[in-house]
Amino acid sequence: MGLPAVLVRKLGQMGITDPTPIQSHAIPHALNGHDVMGLAQTGTGKTAAFGLPLIAEMMEADDRPLPKAATSLILAPTRELANQIRDTLLPLVKDTPMKINVVVGGASIGPQIKRLEKGTHILVATPGRLLDLIDRRALRLDATRFLVLDEADQMLDMGFIHALRKIAALLAKERQTMLFSATMPKQMEEIAGSYLVNPKRVQVSPPGKAADKVSQAVHFIAKAEKPNLLIELLGAHKGELALVFGRTKHGSDKLARKLESAGFKVAAIHGNKSQGQRERALKAFRDGEVKVLVATDVAARGLDIPDVKHVYNFDLPNVPENYIHRIGRTARAGKDGAAIAFCAPDEMGELKDIQKVMGLSIPIASGRAWEELPDPKAKSNGGGGRGRGRPGGPGGGASAGKGPRRRRGGGGGAGRGKAA
């Protein structure tokens, strides 16, 4: 593919001999100096797709970075993804003079400033902390020759649009830029226009497509019954790693405590946890000391833990694309995985949006589809809006669930079949 022999040898030592589709499409364009816009689902090897040509270009130039400058900058939306990018690239620069630094929020800024004083070859950063360092005159971007925006759509979801505009204005005009994303929301065109010049577009799977080896299913269940169902399903595979997604920080902590009291080894990560707490929880999960990790969408991207066998959407996400990113945490590196969604009456709107984005109907594991009702408040204001739900009935477009129906704890919802 035109990569330096030393890099090819390092890949061989890591057991990597064949490129993934996104790598085989993107790397040649990048090595030829083109800007690249890459669209690919999570878990397809995007980090190496931009990391390999970036390292190759800097090996060839063999320049020392200027003080307080970064020769190349990789922007990532979350601390976890930033750390993972560093961990993926470090083996590729081993035994070379190249320095890789990471700057993220939630960690002390003093040591980060110190590490940047002599300059760095590859800087991996979250947008907020990057701007903090620039404001403190600890970092300059006018000498940055290579730029990567990884998971750019999530940066938009997390409200980084204004930060990205500020960063764009500080960068050198003469540079090579690569943008990678799993989905292509409308605002992405503005970002692409600000950062990229005549980019080569590389797309290896349609936006909204989940990994092929993920089996999906949905349980229609009353909100109050969700914890009991989760405990039952987790109990069927206690020895396997499971990632459980909640919507709120408080709700995730509460659910983690409930699972712990039910006998599961569990940890929780979300935005209120310190960087140290998040790293310890992820390490325990990756090492198998903790079998269940409860997380908000802060963990929906960038977590490369190949042994995650099950993903549970305990709460359906408000942003439909986040469902795809969540379930992309399983079936990684060619392995199989299962994604189970719980849908309460007030989540039918979210489920419909998810299915629309994915272009498919998620198979029903138990219960019956809730019938969406107009929201009385929205109606009085002259709008339609999403409403509450009730169990579907004849004429209501309901689908029959598998197995016998049953009720639990007086929850007024659809019953569940036997856990698959």
Side-chain angles (χ1 to χ4, degrees):
M1 297 182 71
L3 290 167
V6 63
L7 270 183
V8 177
R9 280 199 301 273
K10 285 178 184 288
L11 289 168
Q13 290 163 6
M14 295 163 65
I16 301 169
T17 54
D18 298 306
T20 66
I22 188 66
Q23 291 163 7
S24 61
H25 284 77
I27 289 172
H29 288 311
L31 288 175
N32 285 329
H34 296 291
D35 284 4
V36 175
M37 178 185 286
L39 294 172
Q41 65 201 42
T42 56
T44 54
K46 283 184 285 183
T47 304
F50 61 73
L52 286 168
L54 186 138
I55 292 169
E57 294 279 357
M58 286 191 292
M59 278 182 171
E60 189 177 335
D62 196 25
D63 294 333
R64 290 185 63 179
L66 297 171
K68 297 184 179 180
T71 306
S72 59
L73 172 65
I74 301 171
L75 285 176
T78 66
R79 309 168 197 171
E80 283 74 22
L81 181 55
N83 286 327
Q84 185 178 294
I85 291 169
R86 173 202 57 199
D87 294 344
T88 301
L89 298 183
L90 273 175
L92 298 172
V93 300
K94 190 179 177 184
D95 302 322
T96 75
M98 273 190 224
K99 289 188 292 184
I100 299 179
N101 278 314
V102 175
V103 293
V104 296
S108 176
I109 200 168
Q112 294 179 359
I113 291 172
K114 187 75 176 170
R115 288 197 299 270
L116 293 176
E117 283 179 356
K118 293 182 180 178
T120 185
H121 292 90
I122 300 174
L123 180 64
V124 190
T126 50
R129 178 50 58 94
L130 185 77
L131 288 173
D132 286 345
L133 289 162
I134 291 168
D135 289 342
R136 293 173 185 238
R137 300 184 185 278
L139 178 68
R140 46 187 280 200
L141 298 182
D142 58 323
T144 299
R145 300 202 315 272
F146 305 100
L147 173 71
V148 177
L149 285 83
D150 194 20
E151 303 287 12
D153 49 348
Q154 193 188 12
M155 285 197 259
L156 296 183
D157 291 344
M158 294 173 70
F160 284 131
I161 182 73
H162 298 299
L164 293 175
R165 285 180 186 137
K166 281 185 185 177
I167 293 165
L170 298 171
L171 289 160
K173 297 295 180 189
E174 292 296 319
R175 66 173 192 270
Q176 182 181 9
T177 304
M178 290 180 272
L179 181 152
F180 286 81
S181 182
T183 60
M184 194 68 185
K186 289 178 183 175
Q187 247 185 335
M188 190 67 73
E189 295 297 337
E190 180 196 338
I191 295 296
S194 301
Y195 281 91
L196 304 170
V197 178
N198 299 322
K200 298 292 184 182
R201 186 181 173 111
V202 176
Q203 183 170 325
V204 298
S205 63
K209 186 179 184 298
D212 292 331
K213 295 199 172 186
V214 180
S215 65
Q216 300 178 62
V218 60
H219 293 267
F220 292 101
I221 183 166
K223 191 172 185 178
E225 294 187 21
K226 283 186 178 185
N228 290 334
L229 173 57
L230 181 62
I231 288 168
E232 181 181 320
L233 296 178
L234 287 173
H237 54 78
K238 269 197 166 181
E240 297 174 331
L241 298 188
L243 188 52
V244 180
F245 283 102
R247 187 174 293 173
T248 66
K249 302 165 189 174
H250 172 71
S252 296
D253 278 337
K254 185 178 175 183
L255 179 59
R257 289 193 297 269
K258 196 172 188 74
L259 294 175
E260 197 167 41
S261 66
F264 294 96
K265 292 181 179 178
V266 62
I269 63 168
H270 50 66
N272 280 357
K273 300 281 187 182
S274 71
Q275 184 63 19
Q277 287 174 318
R278 285 159 70 162
E279 286 177 3
R280 285 191 295 275
L282 285 172
K283 185 179 187 305
F285 186 56
R286 189 175 277 111
D287 293 346
E289 295 166 17
V290 161
K291 297 297 184 185
V292 182
L293 184 66
V294 183
T296 57
D297 278 316
V298 73
R301 309 259 193 122
L303 289 190
D304 187 11
I305 302 172
D307 295 329
V308 173
K309 188 74 176 174
H310 309 269
V311 170
Y312 290 94
N313 280 280
F314 185 81
D315 297 315
L316 293 182
N318 292 321
V319 179
E321 287 84 2
N322 281 357
Y323 173 86
I324 299 161
H325 306 313
R326 288 179 177 189
I327 70 174
R329 299 307 100 209
T330 187
R332 299 181 75 81
K335 296 184 179 180
D336 295 326
I340 307 298
F342 294 175
C343 182
D346 61 354
E347 293 176 301
M348 273 305 294
E350 281 83 354
L351 181 64
K352 287 182 177 179
D353 288 346
I354 288 164
Q355 295 186 141
K356 184 178 178 183
V357 165
M358 298 186 72
L360 57 80
S361 292
I362 299 171
I364 297 171
S366 72
R368 300 172 66 198
W370 305 99
E371 180 187 344
E372 226 180 343
L373 297 178
D375 186 339
K377 290 180 183 176
K379 197 169 184 180
S380 65
N381 291 332
R386 281 183 193 158
R388 37 196 191 89
R390 67 182 177 199
S399 302
K402 293 178 184 175
R405 297 182 67 213
R406 56 180 176 165
R407 295 182 186 273
R408 271 186 188 230
R416 299 189 287 101
K418 211 168 185 178

